[in-house]
Amino acid sequence: MSALLERLAEARKEGNVARLAEAIPYARWMQIAPENGTGELLTRMRYHPELIGNTFLPAIHGGTLGAMLEMAAIFHLLWETETETVPKIVNITVDYLRSAPPGRRDRLRQGDEAGPSHGQRLRRSLAGRPVAPRRDGQRPFPR
Amino acid sequence: MDKDARIALFQQWFSDNIPHNKALGLKVIGASRGFASMQLDWREELVGNPETGVLAGGPLTAMLDGCCGMSVATMLKAPEPFATLDLRIDYVRPAEPGKAVIAEAECYRITRSVAFTRAFAHHGDAKDPIAAAAGTFMLGTKGKATRPALVDKP
């Protein structure tokens, strides 16, 4: 069993989704981690100064918000499906509705089950829907 | 302004002065009117799949956003603030572990309020892309201009 599979198995057994982030170097570096304390899967990106993309406004780098949406979708699939490897993203579309001021609140991202792939920033949090179509073209993952 | 001076100017504005780009270690390797190119070196912290060593999508997303934005800046006659409106990325194939990724972006249309860009990421051969991106930017947004205008045509 690979290290990743072991980590996945442990996280599922403990019911502690946060352990998934420990297995992914980029998630650790970015401080992006899932949490399920409220009963639904949320992905949080902790604020740190290296997220800044505009020092004048200031605002968080748009690329980091896209990265966080991607990681939220990956965590959702790792947690809700039986996948044995890190899912590969085919594509992502991000609509930027306004700038994200830093340091006031962490970015939150809720995984949802279906619908068009989009991210929408609301107040200081971020909500969106990942969708991963199944090979047979039936209902989207996760279900 | 000669090629090296342009690259040095954009390196300063698009990597050294942007904390996230600096943290990624983005290097500006090309800058001319309507065109921007950057390089991202592979490193362990940026890996998204620990079993294969393949980079996560996130670093490519941030690089393509930055590179598309820089291609817009090269078109401006005077410094002007602008912001990403939307960005779509197709991940065509995985980046190869250990290899640097190069992004090349083009601003192919600019109006008074919107700039349209496209970009590819690859390992040195643009005909064999890792990712393709399309981004639009809104010009004249609030705040100070954070990016320089290219003062002369190359």
Side-chain angles (χ1 to χ4, degrees):
Chain A
M1 198 188 261
S2 72
L4 179 69
L5 271 182
E6 278 175 35
R7 192 92 62 153
L8 265 175
E10 280 171 23
R12 284 176 181 145
K13 199 169 145 196
E14 289 176 18
N16 182 3
V17 70
R19 299 205 59 175
L20 297 180
E22 296 167 17
I24 299 176
Y26 180 68
R28 288 200 306 265
W29 185 67
M30 289 286 284
Q31 300 181 42
I32 299 172
E35 46 192 73
N36 54 354
T38 60
E40 55 189 355
L41 192 72
L42 288 174
T43 294
R44 185 186 298 270
M45 180 161 73
R46 294 215 169 268
Y47 174 70
H48 52 107
E50 289 188 342
L51 294 181
I52 295 292
N54 181 324
T55 53
F56 290 84
L57 283 174
I60 287 174
H61 196 295
T64 69
L65 294 166
M68 182 209 168
L69 285 163
E70 291 178 21
M71 288 309 305
I74 286 169
F75 289 137
H76 196 84
L77 289 170
L78 282 173
W79 190 243
E80 302 286 351
T81 71
E82 299 301 311
T83 180
E84 295 187 342
T85 185
V86 181
K88 281 193 195 117
I89 295 222
V90 176
N91 60 43
I92 182 170
T93 306
V94 186
D95 289 323
Y96 295 97
L97 304 183
R98 64 170 187 79
S99 67
R104 297 193 191 163
R105 197 177 292 181
D106 300 323
R107 306 295 124 189
L108 281 175
R109 162 70 165 67
Q110 189 176 341
D112 204 340
E113 287 194 346
S117 174
H118 73 264
Q120 186 178 28
R121 276 190 253 158
L122 297 163
R123 292 178 174 270
R124 289 181 200 102
S125 63
L126 193 138
R129 294 176 189 160
V131 63
R134 289 202 322 207
R135 267 192 201 144
D136 57 12
Q138 296 302 302
R139 300 164 104 180
F141 252 151
R143 198 76 220 167
Chain B
M1 208 188 318
D2 72 4
K3 185 182 162 219
D4 290 345
R6 278 203 308 273
I7 287 176
L9 175 75
F10 281 99
Q11 171 70 33
Q12 189 186 352
W13 281 93
F14 277 84
S15 184
D16 302 348
N17 286 355
I18 296 183
H20 189 66
N21 291 354
K22 192 179 176 192
L24 285 172
L26 290 185
K27 277 186 282 206
V28 173
I29 56 174
S32 56
R33 190 170 160 77
F35 176 83
S37 183
M38 291 180 175
Q39 180 175 322
L40 173 70
D41 290 332
W42 184 94
R43 63 179 206 266
E44 205 274 336
E45 287 169 324
L46 306 182
V47 164
N49 186 332
E51 305 197 290
T52 59
V54 170
L55 287 178
L60 299 183
T61 304
M63 173 163 72
L64 287 164
D65 181 31
C67 201
C68 286
M70 189 186 129
S71 76
V72 175
T74 66
M75 297 290 279
L76 300 176
K77 291 189 179 74
E80 182 179 355
F82 60 88
T84 315
L85 266 182
D86 66 62
L87 182 70
R88 179 200 166 99
I89 299 175
D90 290 326
Y91 295 103
V92 181
R93 69 173 178 90
E96 288 166 42
K99 280 195 181 177
V101 179
I102 290 164
E104 291 182 295
E106 181 192 10
C107 179
Y108 62 91
R109 172 82 184 153
I110 189 164
T111 71
R112 267 179 301 177
S113 53
V114 184
F116 301 86
T117 67
R118 55 189 164 216
F120 284 104
H122 55 79
H123 283 311
D125 177 5
K127 294 258 159 45
D128 186 18
I130 296 160
T136 56
F137 292 80
M138 189 163 67
L139 304 171
T141 48
K142 274 198 294 186
K144 283 185 193 167
T146 59
R147 287 138 192 205
L150 199 63
V151 290
D152 60 352
K153 288 189 184 183

